[in-house]
Amino acid sequence: MKSMNEDDLYRSSTQFRLWSFTERALADLRSSTNSLAAQRVRDAIKRSRTKEGQPGSGDDVDCLTVEEEQKLVRFYCSKAMDFSDFCGFPTSVKAKPPPYIRRRFVDLFPQSTALQILKRFYLSNSPMTYHPKSLMPCALFLATKCENHYTVLSDFASKLPKTSPEDVLAPEFLLTQGLRFTFDVRHPYRALEGGTMELNEMALSSYIPPAGSLMTGAEVKARLLSLKPASGDGAAGKKTPAELQDRIKRAHGKARELLNTTAILTDAYFLYTPSQIFLSSLLAADEPVARFYLHVLLSSARPSGSSVDEPSSLEIRLLSLLKECAALLTDPSSRKPDSEAQKKELTRIDKKLWKCRNPEKVDFLGMSKGAGKGGSSGQSKEGAAGEGEVDEKVVKKRKLERDRAAKEEAELFGGELKR
């Protein structure tokens, strides 16, 4: 029986099967979602005007563009990061697992997972239908459950003004429906920690190269010590093992900062695998170390008869891909929107959104609460989750079914015993 390697395991994950795209496919999906939502907004406004006896077809409504939607979603993703910091949710928490788990540590990533939940939801839904401000607390609380980071709901809700525990949970089914009921988010943090450990082993001569490599552990260390410095990292020259470890530590810190900020705010999770994101962050933090590390890892892929320094075709292709990802991670526009110009632009978009929101979905939280208490919200689909009005017949029918089931359950074991 053939054993599965790491690549096979990742390809079997829902993140790869459902949430990995090419740039073109991602852009087409967002454009389709935007046009569908815009048409539904105009139809809903037309129905609202007809009901109120006002003239107008709804075609005059200026809806959000795809770019404006993405700016708004990114803004509320950054707000989710701020609220996560306020609540004390770490990006990475290490906890000791039960003894039956062999892994030494289990990493929890509620903040990063929350952002991916929001970004995945808005691939098939529009802010014109569901405002991100109403979904952000639920996404963050759902992320704490996905990552086994225990959080008391009442304590969580108390940190939000004018928000009850019911308000936090109200859109949870809608959110999970938009996620297609997939909650697994693969992050690059473990890859970063594992790669840093390997680099430290290389610096200490305890590294064992891959089978078929033309370099020994001692040669790997010698070449690593003689690498040219990173940009702005001091003068060239051979380093001592202690200086090399300090360099690796600095690269780890810079790479970690990129993974904690731009990586989770951009489309990196949709376009690249976690290991590619890790290598790209290392490439942006210290290019000579990253290139050498990649060269050592792929040393066994070089054809026979080639020299030690000659890169394989796989290494050349992968390095080109990593440079594209590194450019995305270091793009100034990928950072949190905190400049005055960006704030003015977001204010303009929010005012525009106020005029083009779907009037039938403005109180979707109230509809969700009603569905939770009395039955179904009767929603049709827009992508993975959609629009529609509450069907009172369905609500009454399901309430009768629950009452009948409760009665049958009571009759199954007889009535309550009298003392």
Side-chain angles (χ1 to χ4, degrees), residues 50-268:
T50 302
K51 186 177 180 181
E52 295 174 1
Q54 298 178 359
S57 63
D59 294 335
D60 57 327
V61 178
D62 185 19
C63 294
L64 296 184
T65 64
V66 176
E67 292 74 19
E68 289 171 335
E69 286 184 332
Q70 289 310 299
K71 288 179 182 179
L72 196 65
V73 171
R74 180 175 294 179
F75 170 73
Y76 280 100
C77 283
S78 68
K79 287 300 178 184
M81 294 172 67
D82 295 338
F83 182 62
S84 176
D85 293 337
F86 174 75
C87 292
F89 297 148
T91 304
S92 174
V93 180
K94 290 183 177 180
K96 191 173 182 181
Y100 54 81
I101 297 181
R102 292 186 178 182
R103 291 178 299 172
R104 184 176 178 184
F105 293 107
V106 175
D107 291 323
L108 310 175
F109 316 104
Q111 183 184 111
S112 303
T113 299
L115 268 62
Q116 298 314 308
I117 286 175
L118 280 174
K119 291 173 73 67
R120 289 178 179 182
F121 178 82
Y122 283 108
L123 284 184
S124 55
N125 293 275
S126 169
M128 292 183 287
T129 308
Y130 304 112
H131 201 292
K133 183 178 180 181
S134 303
L135 290 172
M136 186 264 290
C138 182
L140 189 54
F141 187 72
L142 178 62
T144 64
K145 294 192 285 185
C146 292
E147 300 297 345
N148 287 328
H149 185 69
Y150 177 72
T151 304
V152 180
L153 176 59
S154 57
D155 294 343
F156 178 84
S158 66
K159 294 180 172 66
L160 290 161
K162 299 180 182 179
T163 302
S164 66
E166 291 76 17
D167 294 330
V168 175
L169 293 180
E172 188 174 55
F173 180 75
L174 173 71
L175 197 59
T176 56
Q177 188 181 16
L179 296 175
R180 299 160 79 172
F181 303 100
T182 60
F183 308 105
D184 182 27
V185 180
R186 306 291 180 95
H187 297 286
Y189 300 110
R190 289 192 181 99
L192 174 63
E193 301 305 321
T196 304
M197 290 171 63
E198 275 192 313
L199 284 169
N200 280 314
E201 287 182 352
M202 292 178 186
L204 297 174
S205 298
S206 56
Y207 177 73
I208 301 176
S213 175
L214 300 178
M215 290 185 287
T216 64
E219 290 173 334
V220 169
K221 177 183 177 180
R223 287 172 174 266
L224 190 57
L225 288 171
S226 60
L227 287 178
K228 65 179 183 179
S231 178
D233 199 19
K238 192 171 182 178
K239 304 292 183 182
T240 65
E243 290 174 331
L244 178 57
Q245 285 185 298
D246 287 340
R247 178 177 179 175
I248 294 171
K249 184 177 180 181
R250 288 194 301 272
H252 170 271
K254 292 177 183 178
R256 182 89 185 188
E257 181 64 23
L258 288 174
L259 296 183
N260 289 346
T261 52
T262 55
I264 55 179
L265 285 172
T266 61
D267 292 333

